[in-house]
Amino acid sequence: MNDMIYSVYGINGPVVTVKGSVPFSMQEMVYVGNKRLIGEVIAVSSEFTTIQVYEDTVGLKAGEPVVGSGNAMALLLGPGLLSNIFDGIGRPLDDMFEKQGAFINIGYGEESNEKKWSVEMLISEGDEVKQGQIFAVINETPVIKHKCLVPYGVNGFAHNVAVSGEYTLDDVLAQVELPGAHTLPLKMSQHWPIRTPRPIKEKIPPSIPLITGQRVIDSLFPVAKGGASAIPGGFGSGKTMTQHQLAKWCDADIIVYVGCGERGNEMCQVLDEFSHLIDPKTNRPMTDRTVLIANTSNMPVAAREASIYTGVTIAEYYRDMGYHVAMMADSTSRWAEALREISGRLEEMPAEEGFPAYLPSRLSDFYERASYVRTLGGDEGSVTLIGAVSPQGADFSEPVTQNTKRFTRCFWALDKSLAYQRHYPAINWMQSYTEYYSDLDKWYEQKQGADFVTYRKRIMSLLNEEDGLIEIVRLIGSDVLPDEQKLIIEISRVIRVGFLQQNAFHAEDTYVPLKKQKLMMGVILHLYDKAQSLVQQQVPISDIMSTGLFEKLTTMKYEVENDRNDKFDLYIKEIDEKLSAFGRDI
Amino acid sequence: MIVEYLGAKEINGSLIVLDNIDNVSYEEMCQIVLSDGTSRQGRVIQIDGRRVVIEVFEGTRSLSLHNVKTRLKGHPMQMPLSVEILGRTFNGAGVPIDGLGEIFADKVCDINSLPINPIAREYPRDYIATGISSIDVMSTLIRGQKLPIFTGAGMKHNELASQIVRQAHLQGVDDDRFAIVFASMGVSADVAEYFKASFSRAGVSSRVVMFLNLSSDPVIERILTPRCALTAAEYLAYELGMHILVIMTDMTSYAEAVREFSSSKGEIPGRKGYPGYLYSDLASLYERAGIIKGKEGSVTQLPILTMPNDDITHPVPDLTGYITEGQIVLDRALSSKGIYPPVAVLPSLSRLMKDCIGEGYTREDHSELANQLFSMYAKVVDARALSSVIGEEELSEKDKKYIKFGKRFEEEFINQSSEENRSMQESLDLGWDLLSAFDESELDRIKKPTIEKYFRKK
């Protein structure tokens, strides 16, 4: 720590310089100006120190003081994160609202931590504690227990252990005596620098899918818990809608939703919806297990750059308690643009399309923080990252999409033309892919039976064949195709409309359990097999179509309730009955 | 005490550089007085120790290193506001130009405003009936929304905007609590006159605040115009509880002004020469639309932007589309067929409509009907593509039906007179009427009970 005061020399948007040799270190958090704006040191030289400021610099003057904090830009981690909403550098927006009113003003300062939490201590006097160990438990919300962790690097014996009871974030709950005779206070909260990944014992290869209840994802392009996935799509293709659906329905314990440079009304909608949406698993509002980070597009750009690190640090913190966390970042393109903007102000040499040369390495650093791990405390936990990408002009060849593709193993390509047809989720089945099949197939076989994987492969190959046929139909019409190929087109239509399309606003269809997904695929393929054998016996396809079975299957997603899987037997029976009539006729 | 600085160190484009300046704050306003006594407005855009860069809004023509005196005003750009601004006309920098004198300020506001705290926002729920079927049914305008019109040179966007102004009806709001803020950036005097005339024809002139920066006015001033307009809108909405519709035209000229300004500063250009921060800059305007909890009014934005060469992937429409809550896209082909308003239904979208239509808002069948019309019309496009290859004669019966539907949809549903004000009921019924050409089994987006209630009932 140094108490010397240095002063602002130059100001250019969010970039502020301090002249002369200054003892600030890289990534140190500093307070800029009389209003103590929060900034971070991003370049140091003997002549100038460059600081990016996380708040608006309007009204700042040369000569105002700059004070170092002695610490890296860090986040206060502790109970109170869940069901709360923060800005890009982790300041609670509700507290700001109370103190400043409807508009975000500069110089907010720091939040007050007076709230008392009911702590249940798990250690007693003289116990040995290790880094990452859970030493106390707090009911943070009715559904999530906050497990207080011994900070990294702290190993020793606990003394002056507090009794279970009501404490605030700042209260000392125990003293840990470290080797070398000095002690460290143990609190329910800890600071962690946002740009440093939190340490773990080891990574575990991903083997469990993140179940989302969205058919096109779970059945065709699953992502693993601890994996990373990208959702690219131009505006209006339903990126945000897909992210919302995933946040609402995926089976992670905790959701971290980062609105990074997006619309204010959309964040407002997330807040509104999540607080009204009752989670079927817990019967409590979604907000009980959600952390929201909102740095909308008009909030300071430097804080937007920080917001995804803030999000992933919170996600890792809960992972270290042994939870499965899913983090949605909407959108990483805005984050990349913030990088570009600041890089431009620093007059760095641009690489592709004006983005700085370090864009790929920053992206890989971020996506690498997705992992399935054994924590320091010995539990298993995971962070799954789902990043939306907003390519300029919906052109997937631009640098952010291309580099994101390199570091994520799952790619859900959104397609504008599907969105125009109101085919939602508009995930294009030909452009999307996942590399997690080999990791997850075993799980699917164990939990859903070997035929799940077979079904998926057959569905995929039908869609593939259809894609080729559609080209021909576009050129010369469908009349010229032989019946067998017409059948592929018809059955693919059933797959597209009846299976891939999913209605987010329909009470039953918005979330579909895996078991039902499998049965739906089964019924569709059953119809295909039966119809195919009839076509081979020269039964005209128009006769088969006239049974109305194809139309019927497109609506089974609505007709069969999620808990009435027995109804699928009736479908099978009806298919058999109606089609066997043809068999006899011939 | 006001200090005056004599002379300048450097003049370049719209920028002047002064040296040895103390106690200046970032984005502070200044007044530049020439030796002939005229004065211009400027703003501090960069500080390097005692060296300060100032952008001059009216341009630097006839400025020299010795004939200028600079006065620092000690505050960022502000605008005096009161209820009297209703019915008044200002220039692009917020100075009255209608000869009715200065505004006696009730409140002085910083034109840059502050970002709205996301949790202070009220989620928009009420629709604005525009009386135009293609908008009301297919991409409903919502109070507190920002819904741009993407258009091209020569299309009837101005007619459409003025029709919306004339017909816009807010459910449960008295007319005297509804006002319009009009900002023109780099449009020709004719266009400005056209809007003026149409406001007076609609009898709303006394409730319009106009900010005019015409194509002959200083380019840099254009950067201020929308900010002044939105500051006025926010004042009327949040201080006086009015519902404000802000029309901003043309956003492309605005973005070009930002580009010009950026290149004169010597910044590294991004796509098509626009600065890398164009997204943040546009967002700082568009995000000022909304409704705030506990306040009565609302700010709805209807920006108009011309797509250069009708290219929707051009940076300005592209970035705008990522910020705004949908868009209304006008289509050259429809326009040349003589269809008004030439709204291209497929790429048009209102992101907020899903929660603001249906039972209790418009009518229970609205969302299903709109989805069905969308999906039918998407098939029309496929059928037309096919028919252009193999000829209409060779099409299957099904495809012919789509072609026929497409024609009726464009001529009867999209097409309407610029004086025609269709009620929501009429527009919805018209949609059902068009669908009656299809069999019930083909309506795959509509649920049974809705079909039973509405299908072929008229």
Side-chain angles (χ1 to χ4, degrees):
Chain A
M1 279 287 222
N2 67 87
D3 297 330
M4 281 286 290
I5 292 175
Y6 301 92
S7 63
V8 173
Y9 180 78
I11 308 163
N12 180 8
V15 175
V16 166
T17 52
V18 177
K19 201 174 181 184
S21 160
V22 175
F24 296 154
S25 51
M26 282 292 279
Q27 258 111 60
E28 178 171 343
M29 188 170 105
V30 293
Y31 298 101
V32 179
N34 295 328
K35 288 195 172 163
R36 290 176 69 84
L37 311 180
I38 294 174
E40 182 180 3
V41 176
I42 53 172
V44 183
S45 77
S46 61
E47 285 168 16
F48 286 107
T49 296
T50 311
I51 295 162
Q52 71 173 359
V53 180
Y54 291 116
E55 301 180 65
D56 203 344
T57 49
V58 170
L60 188 66
K61 289 178 179 173
E64 286 193 26
V66 178
V67 183
S69 71
N71 292 311
M73 187 71 206
L75 206 58
L76 180 69
L77 298 168
L81 292 169
L82 288 173
S83 57
N84 213 336
I85 176 165
F86 301 90
D87 77 349
I89 49 172
R91 299 179 301 178
L93 288 170
D94 55 349
D95 194 49
M96 288 173 112
F97 181 42
E98 264 169 44
K99 288 183 185 158
Q100 302 186 329
F103 294 90
I104 297 174
N105 218 322
I106 52 173
Y108 158 74
E110 262 149 55
E111 73 191 282
S112 41
N113 299 315
E114 272 138 31
K115 179 167 174 165
K116 290 212 171 198
W117 296 92
S118 171
V119 183
E120 185 195 333
M121 296 298 291
L122 301 181
I123 51 168
S124 35
E125 191 65 28
D127 279 359
E128 187 178 1
V129 294
K130 285 197 178 125
Q131 58 181 12
Q133 183 186 333
I134 297 161
F135 70 89
V137 177
I138 295 166
N139 285 326
E140 187 175 356
T141 68
V143 298
I144 298 289
K145 277 195 188 332
H146 192 100
K147 302 169 188 169
C148 303
L149 303 170
V150 178
Y152 177 64
V154 177
N155 297 295
F157 292 91
H159 295 293
N160 300 334
V161 175
V163 290
S164 300
E166 307 265 314
Y167 298 98
T168 69
L169 281 180
D170 296 327
D171 287 336
V172 176
L173 300 177
Q175 295 283 352
V176 181
E177 194 176 319
L178 302 175
H182 60 283
T183 60
L184 231 139
L186 210 54
K187 297 178 186 175
M188 68 175 85
S189 60
Q190 52 179 291
H191 280 89
W192 189 263
I194 58 171
R195 293 177 204 275
T196 315
R198 284 177 61 86
I200 52 169
K201 191 169 272 168
E202 59 177 341
K203 283 203 176 190
I204 303 174
S207 61
I208 304 171
L210 183 79
I211 300 301
T212 64
Q214 310 303 307
R215 288 185 292 261
V216 60
I217 292 174
D218 291 350
S219 294
L220 300 190
F221 307 106
V223 62
K225 282 205 175 85
S229 179
I231 313 183
F235 63 82
S237 55
K239 266 189 316 298
T240 304
M241 197 60 216
T242 312
Q243 291 269 43
H244 285 194
Q245 280 297 96
L246 294 177
K248 277 191 231 166
W249 300 113
C250 80
D251 66 344
D253 302 316
I254 286 167
I255 306 291
V256 179
Y257 193 96
V258 182
C260 170
E262 285 290 310
R263 305 174 180 92
N265 278 336
E266 235 159 44
M267 283 320 290
C268 171
Q269 182 200 356
V270 173
L271 268 175
D272 190 72
E273 234 173 63
F274 282 23
S275 57
H276 289 111
L277 194 79
I278 301 298
D279 186 352
K281 279 177 288 185
T282 58
N283 257 327
R284 293 277 313 164
M286 269 291 296
T287 36
D288 277 0
R289 57 187 190 92
T290 309
V291 184
L292 289 171
I293 314 279
N295 210 88
T296 56
S297 53
N298 55 341
M299 284 158 74
V301 66
R304 190 196 305 166
E305 192 267 332
S307 65
I308 68 165
Y309 297 106
T310 300
V312 76
T313 304
I314 292 174
E316 286 178 342
Y317 178 60
Y318 281 97
R319 173 201 68 193
D320 291 348
M321 298 178 201
Y323 289 116
H324 294 289
V325 187
M327 170 173 150
M328 283 82 194
D330 188 12
S331 131
T332 56
S333 295
R334 304 294 157 239
W335 166 78
E337 274 165 18
L339 268 189
R340 175 169 69 182
E341 190 171 332
I342 293 159
S343 160
R345 303 252 190 207
L346 297 175
E347 297 177 1
E348 290 170 338
M349 182 69 85
E352 277 176 285
E353 295 201 15
F355 286 105
Y358 46 77
L359 173 72
S361 59
R362 292 282 173 89
L363 272 171
S364 74
D365 284 351
F366 169 65
Y367 282 111
E368 207 43 44
R369 290 175 80 167
S371 53
Y372 196 103
V373 305
R374 186 164 314 283
T375 65
L376 290 175
D379 290 324
E380 281 186 21
S382 70
V383 172
T384 311
L385 293 179
I386 298 169
V389 185
S390 322
Q392 298 167 347
D395 170 15
F396 288 180
S397 67
E398 57 91 42
V400 183
T401 317
Q402 281 309 313
N403 287 311
T404 302
K405 254 181 149 171
R406 288 166 54 205
F407 309 118
T408 58
R409 291 174 61 203
C410 186
F411 189 75
W412 299 320
L414 295 181
D415 185 341
K416 237 182 185 174
S417 65
L418 287 177
Y420 287 172
Q421 294 165 35
R422 295 301 185 260
H423 174 119
Y424 289 122
I427 295 177
N428 183 308
W429 49 93
M430 298 308 297
Q431 288 174 23
S432 303
Y433 61 81
T434 177
E435 294 173 19
Y436 290 109
Y437 286 143
S438 53
D439 301 311
L440 302 177
D441 278 359
K442 212 164 141 200
W443 185 93
Y444 277 103
E445 277 164 15
Q446 276 171 5
K447 301 278 171 173
Q448 298 294 333
D451 34 358
F452 193 100
V453 176
T454 327
Y455 285 172
R456 184 226 302 144
K457 287 182 179 156
R458 290 194 60 199
I459 295 266
M460 284 301 287
S461 84
L462 279 171
L463 289 170
N464 243 313
E465 280 183 64
E466 187 220 11
D467 190 60
L469 292 174
I470 286 284
E471 285 296 306
I472 302 175
V473 172
R474 252 187 222 132
L475 285 177
I476 49 175
S478 61
D479 287 351
V480 292
L481 293 181
D483 273 6
E484 234 169 276
Q485 294 188 335
K486 274 188 196 157
L487 176 64
I488 289 179
I489 290 195
E490 289 301 338
I491 202 74
S492 298
R493 204 182 69 83
V494 176
I495 297 172
R496 281 191 283 117
V497 178
F499 188 74
L500 298 181
Q501 270 181 27
Q502 195 164 346
N503 189 341
F505 302 107
H506 189 278
E508 293 285 328
D509 204 34
T510 184
Y511 172 89
V512 178
L514 220 44
K515 180 85 186 156
K516 182 176 165 190
Q517 298 188 19
K518 180 186 153 190
L519 290 169
M520 286 176 74
M521 289 197 283
V523 170
I524 295 172
L525 290 170
H526 183 75
L527 173 65
Y528 176 65
D529 290 340
K530 290 280 163 180
Q532 196 187 22
S533 73
L534 287 180
V535 168
Q536 279 162 358
Q537 294 167 41
Q538 311 298 323
V539 178
I541 179 99
S542 48
D543 288 1
I544 302 176
M545 293 299 297
S546 69
T547 56
L549 286 169
F550 286 73
E551 299 300 330
K552 189 162 173 140
L553 291 203
T554 57
T555 58
M556 67 180 165
K557 57 184 173 186
Y558 302 133
E559 306 290 335
V560 181
E561 294 85 356
N562 285 342
D563 55 353
R564 291 293 307 277
N565 286 336
D566 54 303
K567 282 194 180 174
F568 285 107
D569 293 338
L570 301 177
Y571 278 88
I572 299 274
K573 219 169 126 195
E574 194 178 336
I575 292 171
D576 288 347
E577 273 169 13
K578 284 196 173 160
L579 293 187
S580 62
F582 290 112
R584 274 196 298 278
D585 284 350
I586 290 166
Chain B
M1 188 192 76
I2 289 175
V3 187
E4 270 190 359
Y5 293 92
L6 284 176
K9 192 159 177 271
E10 202 181 308
I11 301 175
N12 178 11
S14 59
L15 307 180
I16 62 172
V17 181
L18 308 185
D19 218 345
N20 297 323
I21 304 235
D22 290 314
N23 206 25
V24 57
S25 63
Y26 189 65
E27 298 226 337
E28 183 169 339
M29 287 303 290
C30 36
Q31 192 177 15
I32 295 128
V33 184
L34 275 70
S35 50
D36 62 3
T38 60
S39 76
R40 299 183 192 183
Q41 304 250 28
R43 179 171 65 170
V44 174
I45 55 157
Q46 199 176 335
I47 302 174
D48 265 312
R50 302 183 71 201
R51 179 177 175 275
V52 170
V53 182
I54 293 167
E55 69 173 318
V56 184
F57 298 128
E58 291 91 343
T60 49
R61 195 162 33 85
S62 74
L63 257 62
S64 82
L65 296 182
H66 310 292
N67 72 351
V68 294
K69 280 186 266 182
T70 307
R71 279 185 205 145
L72 294 170
K73 291 195 167 171
H75 58 75
M77 172 106 186
Q78 291 174 333
M79 222 190 127
L81 294 165
S82 81
V83 70
E84 292 167 33
I85 59 172
L86 285 169
R88 298 289 303 269
T89 304
F90 301 83
N91 73 4
V95 180
I97 50 169
D98 50 8
L100 298 175
E102 293 287 313
I103 297 293
F104 183 69
D106 172 47
K107 193 178 178 190
V108 176
C109 294
D110 180 351
I111 64 157
N112 284 310
S113 183
L114 293 163
I116 302 177
N117 189 327
I119 69 163
R121 279 182 189 270
E122 183 88 51
Y123 189 60
R125 289 273 179 201
D126 300 302
Y127 74 99
I128 299 176
T130 64
I132 296 164
S133 300
S134 46
I135 296 176
D136 284 353
V137 177
M138 309 303 276
S139 27
T140 319
L141 178 63
I142 310 298
R143 208 186 294 171
Q145 185 179 24
K146 39 197 179 292
L147 189 68
I149 299 176
F150 286 8
T151 178
M155 284 198 272
K156 294 193 168 166
H157 42 267
N158 294 331
E159 284 81 346
L160 178 60
S162 78
Q163 187 176 5
I164 293 175
V165 167
R166 283 201 307 276
Q167 300 181 352
H169 177 70
L170 284 76
Q171 236 65 21
V173 173
D174 297 336
D175 273 355
D176 59 343
R177 284 188 46 226
F178 175 63
I180 294 147
V181 172
F182 177 81
S184 86
M185 291 152 286
V187 301
S188 69
D190 302 350
V191 173
E193 274 311 314
Y194 174 83
F195 275 101
K196 240 186 222 173
S198 68
F199 292 149
S200 84
R201 197 155 62 91
V204 293
S205 295
S206 61
R207 285 183 281 119
V208 177
V209 190
M210 294 192 103
F211 291 86
L212 299 181
N213 170 284
L214 304 180
S215 44
S216 53
D217 289 335
V219 172
I220 300 300
E221 195 181 275
R222 236 161 257 175
I223 297 174
L224 300 177
T225 312
R227 294 189 163 80
C228 292
L230 288 165
T231 306
E234 280 168 353
Y235 170 79
L236 294 172
Y238 306 137
E239 301 287 328
L240 304 182
M242 298 180 81
H243 296 279
I244 309 298
L245 182 65
V246 184
I247 296 177
M248 302 191 282
T249 179
D250 168 349
M251 291 308 291
T252 309
S253 307
Y254 168 79
E256 277 162 2
V258 173
R259 174 167 69 178
E260 193 174 325
F261 169 56
S262 160
S263 80
S264 73
K265 274 205 288 183
E267 288 171 339
I268 295 165
R271 222 164 28 127
K272 294 215 171 170
Y274 289 97
Y277 53 78
L278 185 64
Y279 177 84
S280 305
D281 189 280
L282 288 172
S284 71
L285 302 178
Y286 294 137
E287 278 293 326
R288 290 170 78 170
I291 306 176
I292 292 180
K293 276 183 191 146
K295 310 224 175 186
E296 270 192 54
S298 65
V299 175
T300 310
Q301 289 184 13
L302 201 67
I304 299 173
L305 64 91
T306 47
M307 300 179 281
N309 199 21
D310 293 357
D311 177 12
I312 199 167
T313 65
H314 182 277
V316 180
D318 191 46
L319 295 177
T320 297
Y322 277 123
I323 305 164
T324 54
E325 285 131 356
Q327 62 278 334
I328 293 170
V329 183
L330 302 191
D331 180 64
R332 179 81 54 191
L334 282 179
S335 175
S336 50
K337 273 188 208 166
I339 286 170
Y340 170 87
V343 175
V345 167
L346 295 182
S348 299
L349 168 77
S350 165
R351 285 166 190 275
L352 297 181
M353 73 184 271
K354 59 184 187 295
D355 295 316
C356 315
I357 60 170
E359 209 168 351
Y361 298 101
T362 53
R363 207 168 79 182
E364 50 177 349
D365 56 320
H366 187 159
S367 130
E368 289 171 64
L369 174 68
N371 270 335
Q372 187 66 59
L373 290 171
F374 267 117
S375 108
M376 290 292 183
Y377 192 61
K379 286 177 190 154
V380 171
V381 175
D382 289 344
R384 280 186 186 159
L386 187 59
S387 95
S388 69
V389 177
I390 59 171
E392 205 171 326
E393 289 303 298
E394 300 295 314
L395 289 180
S396 65
E397 282 309 312
K398 210 171 171 184
D399 283 336
K400 279 183 189 158
K401 207 151 79 175
Y402 283 126
I403 299 264
K404 225 168 145 187
F405 165 77
K407 200 168 147 64
R408 274 196 73 198
F409 183 77
E410 286 168 4
E411 287 175 359
E412 295 173 31
F413 187 84
I414 299 180
N415 194 24
Q416 71 185 81
S417 137
S418 63
E419 297 299 326
E420 190 178 357
N421 190 351
R422 288 185 197 154
S423 73
M424 189 58 99
Q425 302 287 333
E426 281 176 281
S427 293
L428 290 171
D429 290 342
L430 186 56
W432 281 105
D433 183 37
L434 295 178
L435 285 184
S436 63
F438 295 97
D439 285 339
E440 205 178 302
S441 64
E442 287 171 282
L443 307 182
D444 53 353
R445 304 299 167 107
I446 307 181
K447 285 185 218 135
K448 271 259 158 58
T450 320
I451 292 185
E452 275 161 22
K453 191 161 171 196
Y454 292 98
F455 188 57
R456 292 184 183 158
K457 290 297 171 209
K458 291 227 163 173

